[in-house]
Amino acid sequence: MAHAHRPNALDRIFFAIDEAWRRCSLPGVDIWILLECDGAIDMKGLSTALRALQRCYPAAAARLHPPGWLGFPRWDFRDDPPAAFHADAGRADSGADFGWLEELLRSRLDWSVHAPFQIYRFTSDTGDRLLFRWPHAFADARGGVTLIEELARLYDEQTPCERATSVEDELREDAGNLSRKEVSAAAPVQAKPRRSIRAVRLVDAAAGKPPARMGVEIRRLSVAQAAAVREASLRVCGVARFADFIRSSAIRALHELVGQPAGPNLGYSSMHLIDQRRKRDSGPVCHNVFSAVPVWVDAAIAADRRASADAVADALRDSLADGSARRQWRRMGWLSRIPTGLLACAFARSLRSATSFLPEGLANAPSVPLGFMGPLARPRTTFCGAKLVNILGLRPASWHAGFAINVNAAQDRMNIAAAFFEPHVPRARISALLDRYVELLLDWREAK
């Protein structure tokens, strides 16, 4: 068994971004998943399953070995596992008040002391809430959700801790569909030229200065409303275009909120995240294994969701055809060879100046930062002894964009969760954006 889990190139980039945020007094670049349950969690069974999970995935119980100015980070296994389960984190309001969640989102953990896969249990009048947290540098959303699914499986199977053994995720060095050899050998491909477009944003990144506090706004859609969104997607964009529909609706909502600006060089930027894991292979789990393909929509067509969705699909198809994914991995590989401390210093400078030399989507956020979390690999009605009612995912907001939206479609439900920086983005403004977004998701009247 290895004594350390070594981050890949993209992991090291996220370590540098997180350190840059710390230097700017911003919260940690962490990913959050909230499970809302009806009834009480089996605390003893969850604790046993967590210990088994940590044996299957040793990195989930590791300690960060800090990189220093001229070094690189790693997750060290040789110490005793630090605490990862907070059984009495407090009370969670069952309504629209997420102050308890906002308080945690504003916090920052020292990962040389804390395990990178953290669980918080909150109680409420309707049932327990389980909040999962991990640094983006440890795993992407798909990797973290895999750990949650494995935790549930180990609980269901009542796997004794002593029988659990490592699945050897810590030994993997591939990047899913792109192995290290494939990425290194990828020949340069000429990309299609793109005319210069100035991104329309909700806020001016240079108008405010860190520090700021993180806020949360959430919209829950009923089962009937979630079905109505899928029907609207089919009518507006056609078959198998759900991701394009939710993205084009978000672009139109922002377009309306900022006053429908017009101009030959104005547009909206967003990102398509492509999971690079191979089919039937959930790993690598404790890594970032994705490509981020930037897409642009001209302001002139932003009010037409079908035209906007087609532009997004065309941009994605062109990016895949010209080898953008492999070129991105090559660029990230070159960038990640810079010592993490030095790279973080450069990122922090770009945050303070509201500019970035990074590709769109890393430290330099798109104007419409939208993430999507689909259903679990296997539908679940229970989780560690309690009825599973709802799943919410949250991603950190970027200072450049001021906010980030995550669309969650799971358990026959749909939820829209937004994290944003106050007072950089007033709560009333993000609330208006989400209200209009939900209206558009339910509206099918643009069908041709």
Side-chain angles (χ1 to χ4, degrees):
M1 174 180 168
H3 295 294
H5 178 92
R6 300 192 180 277
N8 67 19
L10 192 52
D11 300 338
R12 294 195 294 271
I13 298 294
F14 277 110
F15 270 116
I17 293 173
D18 185 75
E19 173 60 17
W21 279 37
R22 185 191 67 79
R23 296 182 186 194
C24 293
S25 300
L26 293 170
V29 184
D30 301 338
I31 299 177
W32 306 77
I33 298 291
L34 175 64
L35 303 189
E36 298 179 332
C37 299
D38 181 2
I41 292 291
D42 175 7
M43 305 291 288
K44 182 178 179 181
L46 173 57
S47 296
T48 300
L50 178 59
R51 290 196 298 273
L53 179 76
Q54 292 173 336
R55 289 175 65 93
C56 293
Y57 295 91
R63 297 176 190 268
L64 178 65
H65 185 277
W69 274 98
L70 299 176
F72 300 94
R74 69 173 187 267
W75 297 101
D76 203 322
F77 305 153
R78 283 171 283 196
D79 295 329
D80 292 334
F85 183 30
H86 310 271
D88 296 301
R91 290 279 297 175
D93 192 299
S94 299
D97 182 5
F98 282 89
W100 56 276
L101 179 56
E102 292 176 341
E103 186 176 350
L104 267 179
L105 259 67
R106 296 166 187 164
S107 68
R108 172 174 284 276
L109 293 182
D110 180 355
W111 301 112
S112 65
V113 177
H114 296 88
F117 187 67
Q118 295 280 311
I119 307 175
Y120 303 85
R121 170 185 169 261
F122 291 85
T123 58
S124 77
D125 295 335
T126 58
D128 285 350
R129 306 287 184 261
L130 286 180
L131 183 64
F132 296 84
R133 171 189 198 172
W134 62 92
H136 209 320
F138 170 70
D140 55 23
R142 181 65 255 173
V145 169
T146 298
L147 291 177
I148 296 173
E149 292 172 331
E150 284 295 285
L151 179 68
R153 180 187 65 79
L154 291 166
Y155 174 86
D156 292 343
E157 296 176 358
Q158 297 293 296
T159 303
C161 183
E162 61 273 10
R163 287 177 51 193
T165 58
S166 173
V167 299
E168 298 188 342
D169 183 71
E170 66 277 7
L171 301 180
R172 295 188 63 161
E173 295 184 352
D174 63 292
N177 287 325
L178 299 178
S179 70
R180 175 182 291 183
K181 183 178 180 180
E182 289 172 330
V183 173
S184 299
V189 180
Q190 183 64 39
K192 291 185 178 181
R194 179 180 64 82
R195 66 183 177 86
S196 178
I197 299 179
R198 183 164 61 89
V200 178
R201 294 188 177 276
L202 180 65
V203 292
D204 181 1
K209 296 295 181 184
R213 60 184 180 272
M214 195 84 78
V216 173
E217 282 285 317
I218 291 175
R219 299 293 183 270
R220 292 184 175 91
L221 278 66
S222 67
V223 173
Q225 287 177 315
V229 173
R230 290 190 287 272
E231 176 66 18
S233 172
L234 183 64
R235 293 196 181 197
V236 175
C237 293
V239 178
R241 300 287 302 281
F242 189 64
D244 295 337
F245 174 71
I246 64 173
R247 197 173 307 281
S248 62
S249 295
I251 289 171
R252 176 171 164 178
L254 180 60
H255 181 64
E256 293 179 356
L257 189 66
V258 298
Q260 302 190 41
N265 295 315
L266 294 178
Y268 299 89
S269 58
S270 189
M271 302 297 299
H272 255 299
L273 301 184
I274 303 172
D275 190 349
Q276 295 288 1
R277 293 172 175 87
R278 293 181 171 88
K279 292 182 179 180
R280 301 182 183 87
D281 182 3
S282 60
V285 172
C286 302
H287 282 300
N288 286 271
V289 191
F290 67 90
S291 292
V293 177
V295 293
W296 289 81
V297 173
D298 284 352
I301 64 170
D304 185 336
R305 286 183 294 170
R306 179 57 184 263
S308 178
D310 289 345
V312 168
D314 290 345
L316 177 62
R317 184 175 57 251
D318 291 346
S319 296
L320 293 177
D322 67 21
S324 292
R326 283 176 170 79
R327 288 199 309 277
Q328 185 199 36
W329 274 100
R330 288 171 63 89
R331 288 195 298 268
M332 293 303 101
W334 295 331
L335 199 60
S336 70
R337 294 172 187 173
I338 301 174
T340 304
L342 295 178
L343 194 57
C345 184
F347 290 172
R349 184 175 300 175
S350 72
L351 278 172
R352 297 187 184 104
S353 64
T355 61
S356 178
F357 63 90
L358 278 175
E360 190 83 9
L362 287 176
N364 184 22
S367 57
V368 186
L370 179 72
F372 176 72
M373 189 184 80
L376 301 175
R378 295 181 180 177
R380 300 196 60 84
T381 58
T382 63
F383 193 90
C384 294
K387 180 181 179 182
L388 180 59
V389 176
N390 208 357
I391 303 174
L392 293 164
L394 277 166
R395 52 192 293 229
S398 163
W399 180 255
H400 283 123
F403 73 103
I405 295 177
N406 206 73
V407 177
N408 306 270
Q411 306 300 108
D412 294 324
R413 301 278 299 271
M414 190 169 177
N415 308 282
I416 316 295
F420 60 100
F421 282 115
E422 297 181 287
H424 191 42
V425 177
R427 186 176 292 271
R429 194 159 174 78
I430 203 72
S431 181
L433 176 64
L434 292 189
D435 288 344
R436 182 56 180 148
Y437 185 32
V438 171
E439 289 176 355
L440 288 167
L441 288 173
L442 294 167
D443 188 356
W444 53 266
R445 290 172 294 179
E446 286 180 73
K448 301 298 183 183

